[in-house]
Amino acid sequence: MTEWMLSKVGWQPPDSSGVLVHGGSLANLTALLAARARAFPSAWEQGTPAEAVILVPAGTHVSVARAASILGLGSRAVHPLPCDDLGRTRGERVAEAIELQHRAGRRVMAVIANACAPTTGLYDPLEAMATACRDKRVWLHVDAAHGGSALLVPELRTLLRGIEQADSVTWDAHKMLRTSTLAAAVLIRRSEDLHHALRQSADYLFFNDARTGPDLMHCTVEGSKAELGLKIFLNLAWRGEQGLAAYVHGRHQAARTLWRMVSARNTFEALSEPESNLVCFRYADGNDPHSEVRHIAIRDRLMGQGTFHLASSLVRNRRWWRATVMSPASDQAIFTQLLDTLEIAYQEASY
């Protein structure tokens, strides 16, 4: 299954390699272990140097800061990239950001790109970021845990233009490939980088016994694992690649329908035109000082009632509801019910 996913990125074994892990957090950690091994080959034995930093865009998944601390960098080693007001990396300024770190006596271990951002569903400019990282000889990791499945849809693949130039990619099958939790892939452009990520020795596990088939246990943080590849395979075999692509495309189109419906009501405002199946919007309450508290309270109320499950994001210092359109049953009638329910709930909360 990793070979199939590699091919969608634009890579091929044996030059490239990948491994399945229990979730995107472990996938991001594994990718950063590979990045550390490339930048600091002696780090496995001597520890991560104090000058190591990671550059990230706004809205980067929390697992990146966690991985930085696990790797011994500390969360203070995670530095922001220049972004626009929607949190998307400004690709033309990535090289400058890397150079500024070098001038300060630090070394950039990796640059993270969102594809898409968990807070907004928007994609970073991968091609521009890849060019900058290649010129500066810095590892580029694309966190495509949620948005990687757009690679299956020709009309959406342009959102990930340049992903084949990255050094590593995280792609969750349990997000948009309709696979049960958990099943995530960490994909590495150069196979040797994956094999250098973890350099432990254990003669009761790793020995030359000429076993058949690939043995990737030395490439993952986990020891025992579930049959992750089987879950993805059975799903792919049942639905087919075209079936999965139709699902991804359909959910993207449904998100656009919700966005248009939000934009048509003067009681709501949308953060931006969606690029994925995530739609951020809020009640158009101007500068109401109680806005954030009310948005959170209404979200909690709907979840408590079991009617709608909305997530939440803080963008431009404002609280937004975040709808993740996953279910094939989510249609215009459901969206109408959602917006009607939110309007009533906000009006009630205002009294």
Side-chain angles (χ1 to χ4, degrees):
M1 293 315 306
T2 55
E3 292 181 2
W4 174 73
M5 298 173 91
L6 284 166
S7 71
K8 297 304 158 188
V9 172
W11 300 335
Q12 294 294 333
D15 295 334
S16 303
S17 189
V19 65
L20 299 175
V21 297
H22 286 86
S25 294
L26 274 174
N28 283 339
L29 173 60
T30 305
L32 289 173
L33 278 165
R36 185 182 70 167
R38 168 90 71 84
F40 308 105
S42 62
W44 185 262
E45 293 182 351
Q46 299 180 15
T48 306
E51 68 268 21
V53 295
I54 301 171
L55 301 186
V56 305
T60 296
H61 195 269
V62 65
S63 61
V64 173
R66 286 178 176 174
S69 292
I70 291 170
L71 287 168
L73 284 75
S75 60
R76 290 182 298 179
V78 179
H79 292 246
L81 283 165
C83 293
D84 63 17
D85 66 342
L86 291 174
R88 293 174 296 199
T89 300
R90 295 182 60 179
E92 77 280 4
R93 294 188 57 189
V94 172
E96 175 191 357
I98 295 172
E99 186 59 32
L100 285 174
Q101 294 294 330
H102 290 173
R103 290 175 186 171
R106 294 183 285 266
R107 182 172 177 185
V108 180
M109 189 183 87
V111 168
I112 308 296
N114 286 330
C116 53
T119 50
T120 62
L122 302 177
Y123 287 77
D124 278 333
L126 304 186
E127 200 163 40
M129 296 179 72
T131 298
C133 289
R134 183 177 61 251
D135 291 346
K136 295 296 183 179
R137 302 178 67 84
V138 169
W139 185 285
L140 175 63
H141 174 63
V142 177
D143 186 353
H146 189 98
S149 297
L151 290 168
L152 303 183
V153 184
E155 301 94 314
L156 301 176
R157 188 180 174 89
T158 54
L159 293 167
L160 294 124
R161 183 184 293 114
I163 192 172
E164 73 284 351
Q165 300 177 48
D167 294 285
S168 57
V169 173
T170 288
W171 182 1
D172 287 1
H174 60 267
K175 291 292 198 318
M176 292 296 289
L177 289 182
R178 310 201 70 184
T179 301
S180 61
T181 308
L182 291 161
V186 53
L187 309 173
I188 308 292
R189 181 163 55 90
R190 300 197 321 173
S191 291
E192 58 266 33
D193 286 326
L194 177 60
H195 293 278
H196 291 160
L198 296 136
R199 301 188 182 187
Q200 73 285 0
S201 60
D203 58 11
Y204 68 100
L205 289 175
F206 311 115
F207 46 86
N208 185 16
D209 61 354
R211 65 185 69 185
T212 59
D215 180 10
L216 295 175
M217 185 177 178
H218 61 287
C219 297
T220 65
V221 175
E222 308 121 302
S224 301
K225 293 197 296 185
E227 301 86 349
L228 305 180
L230 179 62
K231 291 201 299 183
I232 305 174
F233 169 76
L234 291 175
N235 193 44
L236 179 60
W238 172 254
R239 304 180 192 279
E241 186 175 316
Q242 289 186 341
L244 291 175
Y247 165 75
V248 174
H249 187 256
R251 295 306 83 203
H252 277 241
Q253 291 302 306
R256 294 187 64 80
T257 297
L258 173 58
W259 167 69
R260 285 191 290 267
M261 294 173 67
V262 167
S263 302
R265 299 196 185 197
N266 58 16
T267 48
F268 296 107
E269 58 177 312
L271 175 65
S272 65
E273 183 175 352
E275 294 181 343
S276 63
N277 64 319
L278 274 64
V279 182
C280 289
F281 66 104
R282 56 177 280 116
Y283 199 86
D285 54 9
N287 296 317
D288 186 341
H290 305 292
S291 177
E292 178 163 352
V293 173
R294 285 176 180 156
H295 276 81
I296 294 174
I298 291 169
R299 169 192 177 271
D300 293 344
R301 173 180 170 183
L302 267 60
M303 290 179 63
Q305 294 172 344
T307 51
F308 294 99
H309 188 143
L310 290 174
S312 179
S313 295
L314 191 65
V315 185
R316 295 173 176 163
N317 293 317
R318 303 178 76 195
R319 180 64 55 183
W320 303 80
W321 292 313
R322 188 174 76 252
T324 307
V325 185
M326 298 287 288
S327 171
S330 295
D331 57 13
Q332 188 167 343
I334 295 292
F335 299 149
T336 298
Q337 183 184 356
L338 167 64
L339 297 181
D340 289 346
T341 301
L342 288 171
E343 282 184 344
I344 294 171
Y346 202 94
Q347 291 165 7
E348 291 176 350
S350 300
Y351 292 104

